[in-house]
Amino acid sequence: MLRRLLTLLTLTCLFTSIQVSAAPILILGDSLSASYGIDEDKGWVNLLSAKLPEHEIINGSVSGETTAGGLRRLPALLESGKPKLVLIELGGNDGLRGFTPQQLKENLTKIIMLSKETHAHVLLSEVMVPPNYGPRYARMFADVYNQLAEEHEITLMPFFMKDIAIYPELMQRDGIHPNAQAQEQIAEFVQPWVTKSFQ
């Protein structure tokens, strides 16, 4: 009886391990996903990991990252992590540096295609630039994400900062990055989009 119980426990642990490693998720983002200005364990990616214990979440986010930087790092991340879902949250720093929407689209296109070549699902996060960049640039910038979602038949997740940036109490002093208080809200926002990506 004891031997049977031990065997059952071993198989359960093995099955659980297989389930966890069967669907790794790669978050390819910038400072908004890299816990800039707060403890990493309080960041939304870490909080999301706790909400989705059946998935291994790999945070490939780097503060200050552009789409070009993400593209350079992506092959190694795909090779090492072998993600089944790639959540792309990049473009904000491209906008801050005044890169053209065409450059943004070209880099994101390559990121999407590289991810798809590994048979990973792709979840693209919308990114918006501050209104002081002008309505024309902001519109062209936003259009890139809609075009990519349609052209590559991938899901476009609304920008998770849209309902946070309007509340000063949820932002750090720089007015750009969410504070620790906002992280749980972001994790709750992202979770259903990630879950749907596997359905």
Side-chain angles (χ1 to χ4, degrees):
M1 181 68 178
L2 180 59
R3 181 178 296 177
R4 183 179 298 177
L5 180 60
L6 288 173
T7 301
L8 181 60
L9 286 172
T10 301
L11 289 173
T12 301
C13 290
L14 179 61
F15 178 76
T16 302
S17 176
I18 291 173
Q19 286 295 98
V20 169
S21 61
I25 298 168
L26 171 63
I27 311 293
L28 187 67
D30 52 29
S31 57
L32 297 179
S33 302
S35 305
Y36 176 87
I38 61 174
D39 293 337
E40 186 176 350
D41 61 348
K42 295 180 181 178
W44 74 263
V45 175
N46 191 60
L47 297 177
L48 180 67
S49 182
K51 294 176 182 294
L52 299 171
E54 68 274 25
H55 296 286
E56 174 193 2
I57 298 186
I58 306 156
N59 194 353
S61 304
V62 174
S63 293
E65 189 67 290
T66 61
T67 55
L71 177 59
R72 283 193 298 270
R73 294 189 299 109
L74 181 59
L77 290 168
L78 292 174
E79 177 61 28
S80 62
K82 294 180 170 48
K84 298 300 181 184
L85 171 67
V86 178
L87 193 168
I88 305 166
E89 180 273 303
L90 287 172
N93 289 302
D94 294 54
L96 292 175
R97 298 183 186 190
F99 294 167
T100 67
Q102 183 59 34
Q103 289 174 295
L104 173 72
K105 186 174 183 179
E106 287 177 0
N107 289 333
L108 286 175
T109 295
K110 292 174 183 177
I111 289 172
I112 292 167
M113 293 179 68
L114 279 175
S115 300
K116 281 193 159 190
E117 285 174 7
T118 66
H119 305 290
H121 297 284
V122 176
L123 176 59
L124 179 63
S125 174
E126 179 186 33
V127 174
M128 302 174 70
V129 293
N132 60 312
Y133 277 70
R136 182 174 180 274
Y137 181 77
R139 184 177 63 255
M140 292 172 64
F141 194 90
D143 284 347
V144 166
Y145 294 88
N146 289 289
Q147 292 165 8
L148 289 170
E150 183 176 349
E151 292 169 7
H152 296 277
E153 298 181 332
I154 58 175
T155 300
L156 179 63
M157 179 179 75
F159 191 32
F160 57 69
M161 290 296 295
K162 190 180 296 185
D163 293 329
I164 290 176
I166 57 176
Y167 296 104
E169 64 270 23
L170 296 178
M171 300 295 290
Q172 296 184 40
R173 288 185 177 182
D174 60 14
I176 297 174
H177 298 94
N179 60 25
Q181 185 181 342
Q183 301 301 310
E184 178 65 28
Q185 184 174 327
I186 297 173
E188 289 181 356
F189 178 87
V190 174
Q191 181 182 357
W193 290 93
V194 169
T195 301
K196 289 176 187 177
S197 298
F198 286 102
Q199 295 175 348

